[in-house]
Amino acid sequence: MRHIAIIGSGPAGYYTAEAAQKRWGDDVKVDIFDRLPVPYGLIRTGVAPDHQSIKGVSRRYEQTALSENVRFVGNVTVGAPGEGGDVSIEELRGLYDAVILATGAPRDRALDLPGDGLRNVFGSAAFVGWYNGHPEFAGLAPDLGGDTAVVIGMGNVALDVARILAKTRDEFTGSDIVGHALDALQTSRIRRIVILGRRGPHQIMMTPKELGELGHLSRATPRVDPADLPDQGEDALLEPGVRKSVNSLRSFAAIPESGDAEIVVEFDFFAAPKALLGEGRVEAIEVERTRIDGGRAVGTGEFYEIPASIVVSCIGYRTSPISGVPFDERAGRFANDEGRILPGLYCVGWARRGPSGTIGTNRPDGFGVIDMVAGDMESGVLGTGGHKGRAGFDELAEARGIEVVTFRDWKRIEEAEAARAREGAPREKFVDVAEMIRARD
Ligand code: NAP
């Protein structure tokens, strides 16, 4: 019997479990740990609440979760006991043949600019966590009482944030946005949303389908300055996905400025943020005009200010370090060689390669790491048979009084969330860990 521990129950974790199951069938037992009592990681707390069809992928993970040889071990923090952890990496490596870190990248990349500590300046992990009901960020309470929001970055997360800020209450019908965010957004006075990109339209990271949604909002309209767009002939050199996104930008640039829209979502290209300004709370952002040189943004020495009552920086994510695991500070992920960290310790998904790609990108990643583990078992780098696996963990959990939440418990929590949903919504999430745990009883 092989014993595998996967840390993190998001897409990378479940695809890895599926791969282990496909390879070894009944000859493997997989424990999937999560620090939250609820599974699915980014699917639950990262994917936008109005993108329910993307969230539907969790039904596939459920098939894996419900199989005999895979077990969800929720409410268990992996890390040094004494530093907030329930069980250390060393202990897990002693119990399982292989430990695979699928912990994603849940921390914001720091903006690292003067004034970034001002009130109402948030990173996207926190802001997205707030409207998605992540227990760590549910209490964020952003102030939406001002006129202008500045969203930094030109990726899909920036788009999510801008769209959520722009939607009406009716446009959230069928979504699982948490009640506290829906109520706060309803009283929002934001009328101008500026999306700031340090490079130009040809360097946009937003994907076509997601960008297209911005053109179909009920009270908001996108605005692109035609002068920012390169000659159309140059689009031919672009990769097809980027070309489609640039087509959307061109169509936005052609929308006449009627003044009818209640909210304008403006794209400000060639604009590198330099400082956040304000007394105690953010009031403006200082920006330097850039030009592109060899694909990079280079400052032109021209500076200007944009008033900003709230700033959300969507510039990428970092993995959280775990005590005892080598970490690559510069890259913001575990130090690894194609997924290998130390003998018997691996990483997969965003924890391996950083925050890129779609949810589906994690499937080949999961199958790849299991190929690697299998190869290491066959070559003798990894021993099998000497480890206690889940029985050993259960002994440790009992001795330590760890309150494990099982998949069956999660199904009860899920039912309770569905039962308290507002009309038309699939669920109203519990945003507090203690409440989640109570809901299983
Ligand atoms: P991303 O796609 O890497 O975009 C990050 C953006 O931040 C880029 O425009 C980047 O500009 C900018 N940036 C980075 N550092 C900056 C700085 N110091 N100052 C100003 N701008 C800076 O990251 P993301 O939006 O966080 O998305 C992460 C991943 O999740 C992506 O693969 C994304 O596609 C995926 N995702 C998908 C969906 C969906 O499919 N619906 C939704 C959300 C997220 P440069 O290009 O100039 O570096």
Side-chain angles (χ1 to χ4, degrees):
M1 180 61 69
R2 292 158 180 83
H3 298 287
I4 309 246
I6 296 172
I7 320 304
S9 69
Y14 270 107
Y15 286 129
T16 303
E18 182 191 333
Q21 206 183 30
K22 289 227 159 90
R23 177 175 278 269
W24 291 301
D26 291 340
D27 287 333
V28 69
K29 289 220 181 296
V30 179
D31 280 357
I32 304 186
F33 291 85
D34 204 295
R35 69 190 168 112
L36 289 182
V38 292
Y40 306 140
L42 201 73
I43 301 294
R44 179 176 166 104
T45 57
V47 170
D50 55 346
H51 281 171
Q52 287 298 313
S53 59
I54 300 180
K55 286 182 189 263
V57 73
S58 61
R59 283 193 288 277
R60 181 190 183 115
Y61 307 152
E62 183 165 303
Q63 284 172 17
T64 305
L66 289 171
S67 68
E68 285 287 306
N69 46 358
V70 175
R71 177 171 93 150
F72 174 67
V73 189
N75 199 35
V76 177
T77 300
V78 173
E83 290 174 25
D86 293 311
V87 55
S88 70
I89 277 290
E90 289 77 10
E91 286 168 324
L92 289 179
R93 289 175 71 202
L95 289 171
Y96 294 85
D97 301 325
V99 177
I100 304 171
L101 303 174
T103 49
R107 300 267 151 251
D108 283 307
R109 262 187 68 193
L111 202 49
D112 231 0
L113 292 178
D116 60 7
L118 288 170
R119 275 203 317 283
N120 241 22
V121 176
F122 305 105
S124 53
F127 195 77
V128 170
W130 169 70
Y131 63 64
N132 262 332
H134 191 298
E136 205 177 329
F137 304 112
L140 197 72
D143 181 349
L144 308 176
D147 179 74
T148 304
V150 172
V151 179
I152 303 175
M154 290 262 178
N156 281 332
V157 172
L159 259 183
D160 281 347
V161 168
R163 190 182 67 254
I164 297 293
L165 286 172
K167 277 193 164 182
T168 60
R169 191 176 180 99
D170 279 354
E171 286 173 292
F172 285 110
T173 304
S175 81
D176 66 350
I177 188 166
V178 288
H180 65 234
L182 188 60
D183 292 344
L185 287 164
Q186 198 171 11
T187 62
S188 164
R189 291 171 178 243
I190 293 168
R191 293 296 170 260
R192 182 181 181 214
I193 301 167
V194 181
I195 306 182
L196 213 60
R198 60 182 172 182
R199 298 194 291 161
H202 275 189
Q203 289 78 33
I204 196 163
M205 301 294 282
M206 296 166 175
T207 46
K209 183 167 163 283
E210 284 66 27
L211 184 57
E213 283 177 68
L214 221 49
H216 302 284
L217 298 176
S218 69
R219 65 170 169 182
T221 190
R223 185 167 296 161
V224 169
D225 182 348
D228 282 341
L229 292 165
D231 285 343
Q232 193 146 10
E234 292 176 30
D235 293 2
L237 300 169
L238 297 171
E239 185 262 310
V242 183
R243 199 183 315 138
K244 276 193 193 163
S245 291
V246 174
N247 282 343
S248 284
L249 294 174
R250 291 193 185 283
S251 67
F252 296 164
I255 299 172
E257 271 191 39
S258 65
D260 284 351
E262 248 182 80
I263 297 182
V264 176
V265 183
E266 281 173 42
F267 285 78
D268 198 349
F269 291 104
F270 309 107
K274 288 293 158 185
L276 296 143
L277 313 171
E279 293 289 324
R281 60 168 288 163
V282 69
E283 289 162 25
I285 181 163
E286 186 189 41
V287 173
E288 184 179 10
R289 254 303 147 243
T290 63
R291 61 184 172 79
I292 304 297
D293 186 356
R296 294 174 61 88
V298 180
T300 60
E302 183 199 336
F303 290 83
Y304 60 100
E305 284 180 22
I306 305 171
S309 45
I310 178 170
V311 172
V312 185
S313 99
C314 308
I315 62 166
Y317 296 110
R318 293 167 66 83
T319 293
S320 295
I322 298 179
S323 154
V325 183
F327 196 76
D328 179 342
E329 274 299 333
R330 198 192 53 79
R333 55 180 184 248
F334 298 119
N336 73 92
D337 179 12
E338 302 282 317
R340 283 191 184 88
I341 303 178
L342 294 170
L345 183 64
Y346 304 82
C347 56
V348 66
W350 281 11
R352 176 180 79 81
R353 64 175 203 278
S356 64
T358 64
I359 287 161
T361 316
N362 295 299
R363 190 161 190 271
D365 249 30
F367 279 71
V369 76
I370 288 300
D371 282 348
M372 197 180 285
V373 171
D376 288 350
M377 284 175 173
E378 278 155 27
S379 69
V381 174
L382 277 190
T384 54
H387 295 106
K388 285 182 165 180
R390 59 174 62 163
F393 174 76
D394 289 348
E395 277 168 26
L396 183 145
E398 196 177 334
R400 218 165 263 180
I402 301 172
E403 195 173 356
V404 172
V405 172
T406 66
F407 201 78
R408 186 180 301 201
D409 292 335
W410 150 244
K411 292 302 290 176
R412 285 204 210 98
I413 298 171
E414 190 183 35
E415 260 174 45
E417 289 187 338
R420 63 192 220 128
R422 61 183 173 272
E423 208 186 321
R427 65 189 64 80
E428 181 63 50
K429 291 177 197 166
F430 294 107
V431 301
D432 177 74
V433 167
E435 250 189 311
M436 290 174 185
I437 293 175
R438 272 200 303 277
R440 72 180 171 166
D441 300 326

